[in-house]
Amino acid sequence: MPTEFSVSEDVPIGHVVTTVKVTDPDTPTRITFSLIAGDREKFHLDADTGVLSLTDLLDRETKSKHKLIVQANDGIQKTEATFTITMKKKSSNNNTAGRAASSENKTATFRRVLETAIKR
């Protein structure tokens, strides 16, 4: 199930787009995360925390949407979800607080069987 996020093109490197979480009541083991396909050159997914952040500046004129395939792995089972990050125009407010608030910071939660839900 695709998961969509909207991010202003003027957010700084290191900006957190979302935090991926996994629920699996059958397996209380450690879950690791990885980006397995898509536009990985501009994003980093922390394998332990699930924090998806920017590693490069975004330019909406160059590319208005980025797709990522995220995988969660509990050592026994793997599940994947497609994330789409859409660029918004630069905000007219040039202060840092305005930039930090210009992303919809949601938490993406995986369920065991390729079902994805969003918590706001």
Side-chain angles (χ1 to χ4, degrees), residues 5-56:
F5 302 93
S6 180
V7 177
S8 177
E9 68 179 333
D10 63 344
V11 294
I13 293 171
H15 177 80
V16 174
V17 176
T18 191
T19 300
V20 181
K21 304 245 182 216
V22 174
T23 58
D24 186 352
D26 298 336
T27 310
T29 61
R30 179 175 169 256
I31 295 172
T32 57
F33 304 95
S34 57
L35 293 175
I36 61 170
D39 301 327
R40 298 181 288 178
E41 69 280 351
K42 299 233 180 227
F43 300 91
H44 170 73
L45 181 62
D46 186 282
D48 296 316
T49 65
V51 171
L52 179 67
S53 59
L54 294 177
T55 59
D56 197 359

Side-chain angles (χ1 to χ4, degrees), residues 38-93:
D39 301 327
R40 298 181 288 178
E41 69 280 351
K42 299 233 180 227
F43 300 91
H44 170 73
L45 181 62
D46 186 282
D48 296 316
T49 65
V51 171
L52 179 67
S53 59
L54 294 177
T55 59
D56 197 359
L57 297 175
L58 302 173
D59 182 3
R60 194 173 70 84
E61 285 74 31
T62 303
K63 189 163 191 171
S64 63
K65 285 188 180 187
H66 295 273
K67 290 199 182 239
L68 301 168
I69 308 290
V70 174
Q71 182 181 80
N73 183 344
D74 66 6
I76 298 168
Q77 296 177 331
K78 298 176 187 176
T79 189
E80 298 171 4
T82 301
F83 286 18
T84 302
I85 296 107
T86 303
M87 302 302 101
K88 295 188 295 187
K89 287 185 180 181
K90 289 182 182 180
S91 64
S92 58
N93 186 352

